[in-house]
């Protein structure tokens, strides 16, 4: 027997109540907390700052993927789209357009700042401080400064907090229109956003551990073994001298061997890819899958070179790229809304939009 939900009647005034599904009513939430800890599993278990993600970003394979993503993002033009046709709407768009003609901060270009906004995808959160200044009869951002992720905290009321020397644990209220925060896939349990680099940690760790053993493998099996034979009854002193001569032979290519001794070079032969190299390739593929959502462009797997696979990978990467651009555009549009609210009351704020040259 189904229940007709439309048959229940609720007075409109009864709907105006306070929220009931808050952290203060959550039975699993520790009420003594003032600031929410970052639930990122990597940062929480290691007890380390986001410098873990900096190390991952400096991996040669990850850098290659990041440069490709950055090139794709900055390959698009951007423009200011007015929020309406009224005079106030056009005035707000003109102010934002004039702001975009200036550098975002001393010594910083707009491509650099756009990329720092996009880093929210990889580290979960990207924060920027807006430094306001009066220019004639308007107030515009004089600088849009990058704020390290370690300085940002979120209170139990979901309000942003800035960790300072005076308040290193609970943080200070930054005030309105001061912190522009970009978050990637935030949720109730993880308001700091989902960091893509978190999924790269274990492949990164195993890969760099595998390089150690792969280097030993190459040293052990990549160089021919020099085997010296000596007659029975040779003294230990002569045996040790022969071993030293063979060791020098590996480095120098020459050795002085007694006349009754004999030297052989034994070359080792192995078939197939070494297991250590397979592990490195697997780790690279896992990191590419997390960073770019595909592996075909960076790690070609056996049997994945078909046209259908290539088109599938390209479509997936394109969809992810669109979502990443929208994340940056939403943050810039929020900044435009602040400029509009402060300077042109009642106007519809303009939007920040990416576009390709041939689509203009």
């Amino acid at each position: 027997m189904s229940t007709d939900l439309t048959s229940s009647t609720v007075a409109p005034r009864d709907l105006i109540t306070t929220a009931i599904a808050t952290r203060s009513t959550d039975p699993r939430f520790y009420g003594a907390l003032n600031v929410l800890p970052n639930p990122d599993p990597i940062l929480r278990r290691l007890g380390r700052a986001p410098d873990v993600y900096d190390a991952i970003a400096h991996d040669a394979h990850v850098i290659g993927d990041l440069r490709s993503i950055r090139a794709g993002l900055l390959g698009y033009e951007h423009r200011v789209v007015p929020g309406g046709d009224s005079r106030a709407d056009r005035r707000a768009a003109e102010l934002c357009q004039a702001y975009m003609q200036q550098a975002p901060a001393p010594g910083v270009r707009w491509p650099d700042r756009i990329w720092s906004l996009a880093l929210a995808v990889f580290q979960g959160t990207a924060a920027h401080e807006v430094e306001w200044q009066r220019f004639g009869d308007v107030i515009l951002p004089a600088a849009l400064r990058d704020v390290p992720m370690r300085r940002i905290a979120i209170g139990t009321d979901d309000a942003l907090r800035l960790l300072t020397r005076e308040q290193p644990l609970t943080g200070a209220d930054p005030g309105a229109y001061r912190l522009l925060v970009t978050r990637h896939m935030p949720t109730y349990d993880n308001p700091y956003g989902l960091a893509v680099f978190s999924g790269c940690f274990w492949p990164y760790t195993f890969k760099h551990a595998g390089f150690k053993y792969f280097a030993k493998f190459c040293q052990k099996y990549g160089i021919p073994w020099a085997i010296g034979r000596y007659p029975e009854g040779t003294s230990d002193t002569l045996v040790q001298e022969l071993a030293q001569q063979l060791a020098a032979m590996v480095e120098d290519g020459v050795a002085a061997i007694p006349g009754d001794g004999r030297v052989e070079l034994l070359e080792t032969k192995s078939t197939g890819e070494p297991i250590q190299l397979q592990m490195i390739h697997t780790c690279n593929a896992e990191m590419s899958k997390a960073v770019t959502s595909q592996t075909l462009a960076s790690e070609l797997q056996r049997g994945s070179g078909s046209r259908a696979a290539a088109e599938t990978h390209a479509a997936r990467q394109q969809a992810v790229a669109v979502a990443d651009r929208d994340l940056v555009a939403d943050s810039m549009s929020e900044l435009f809304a602040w400029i509009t609210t402060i300077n042109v009351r009642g106007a519809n704020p303009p939007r920040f939009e990416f576009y390709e040259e041939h689509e203009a």
Side-chain angles (χ1 to χ4, degrees):
M1 178 178 179
S2 61
T3 302
D4 185 5
L5 298 179
T6 60
S7 61
S8 59
T9 58
V10 178
R13 63 177 179 274
D14 294 336
L15 298 176
I16 306 176
T17 60
T18 59
I20 59 175
T22 61
R23 291 186 175 86
S24 60
T25 62
D26 190 343
R28 299 183 58 183
F29 181 72
Y30 183 56
L33 293 176
N34 294 319
V35 173
L36 298 175
N38 192 329
D40 187 290
I42 301 303
L43 299 182
R44 186 177 68 249
R45 293 176 184 176
L46 296 179
R48 299 176 61 182
D51 57 353
V52 176
Y53 295 158
D54 292 338
I56 294 175
H58 283 81
D59 178 84
H61 185 83
V62 175
I63 286 178
D65 285 341
L66 291 179
R67 283 171 53 83
S68 176
I69 295 172
R70 184 178 186 273
L73 175 65
L74 300 182
Y76 280 75
E77 301 290 336
H78 52 79
R79 59 191 171 193
V80 179
V81 180
D85 297 328
S86 68
R87 182 177 180 181
D89 298 340
R90 293 195 300 270
R91 172 59 175 165
E94 291 172 358
L95 286 178
C96 295
Q97 183 64 45
Y99 166 64
M100 293 297 298
Q101 299 302 320
Q102 307 299 322
V108 180
R109 304 177 302 120
W110 273 114
D112 300 325
R113 187 55 71 235
I114 290 175
W115 174 245
S116 64
L117 286 167
L119 287 178
V121 175
F122 308 103
Q123 61 189 18
T125 302
H128 295 81
E129 179 185 4
V130 183
E131 182 181 340
W132 298 92
Q133 184 175 335
R134 179 175 291 278
F135 298 90
D137 59 345
V138 297
I139 300 176
L140 294 176
L144 184 63
R145 304 183 186 278
D146 189 12
V147 179
M149 180 183 170
R150 65 178 183 273
R151 297 287 308 277
I152 301 301
I154 298 179
T156 55
D157 56 351
D158 290 329
L160 293 172
R161 312 287 293 179
L162 180 65
L163 302 181
T164 62
R165 292 184 178 180
E166 293 76 15
Q167 295 177 286
L169 298 179
T170 60
D173 181 7
Y177 310 132
R178 295 301 298 271
L179 279 184
L180 184 67
V181 177
T182 308
R183 291 180 287 182
H184 176 242
M185 299 171 62
T187 61
Y188 172 88
D189 290 324
N190 185 8
Y192 290 90
L194 179 63
V196 168
F197 281 160
S198 179
C200 298
F201 175 77
W202 289 117
Y204 168 86
T205 302
F206 289 127
K207 171 190 173 181
H208 285 260
F211 265 119
K212 173 183 177 182
Y213 296 101
F214 184 58
K216 288 184 177 180
F217 177 87
C218 294
Q219 184 179 14
K220 185 175 181 180
Y221 297 103
I223 302 176
W225 288 62
I227 300 177
R229 301 182 183 274
Y230 54 87
E232 287 189 40
T234 305
S235 64
D236 293 341
T237 302
L238 293 178
V239 172
Q240 292 179 2
E241 182 180 352
L242 177 61
Q244 292 176 358
Q245 293 292 336
L246 294 176
M249 183 179 177
V250 174
E251 295 291 336
D252 302 331
V254 296
I257 306 298
D260 55 352
R262 188 158 55 95
V263 175
E264 297 178 1
L265 294 179
L266 179 62
E267 294 186 5
T268 59
K269 297 181 180 180
S270 60
T271 59
E273 193 174 69
I275 187 64
Q276 297 91 341
L277 188 58
Q278 293 182 30
M279 184 183 70
I280 292 173
H281 287 168
T282 300
C283 292
N284 282 339
E286 289 297 303
M287 289 191 291
S288 288
K289 192 183 301 180
V291 175
T292 66
S293 296
Q294 57 90 28
T295 60
L296 193 60
S298 55
E299 290 294 317
L300 184 61
Q301 302 296 317
R302 181 178 299 177
S304 61
S306 66
R307 178 178 178 180
E311 292 177 351
T312 301
H313 282 238
R316 175 180 294 183
Q317 187 174 12
Q318 178 65 19
V320 173
V322 171
D324 294 346
R325 289 197 300 270
D326 289 343
L327 189 67
V328 175
D330 289 343
S331 293
M332 289 300 300
S333 297
E334 182 179 3
L335 180 59
F336 288 172
W338 293 358
I339 295 175
T340 302
T341 301
I342 293 174
N343 295 281
V344 190
R345 299 298 179 91
N348 295 314
R351 304 189 322 275
F352 181 93
E353 183 179 79
F354 286 104
Y355 69 96
E356 288 189 280
E357 188 77 23
H358 63 83
E359 295 178 352

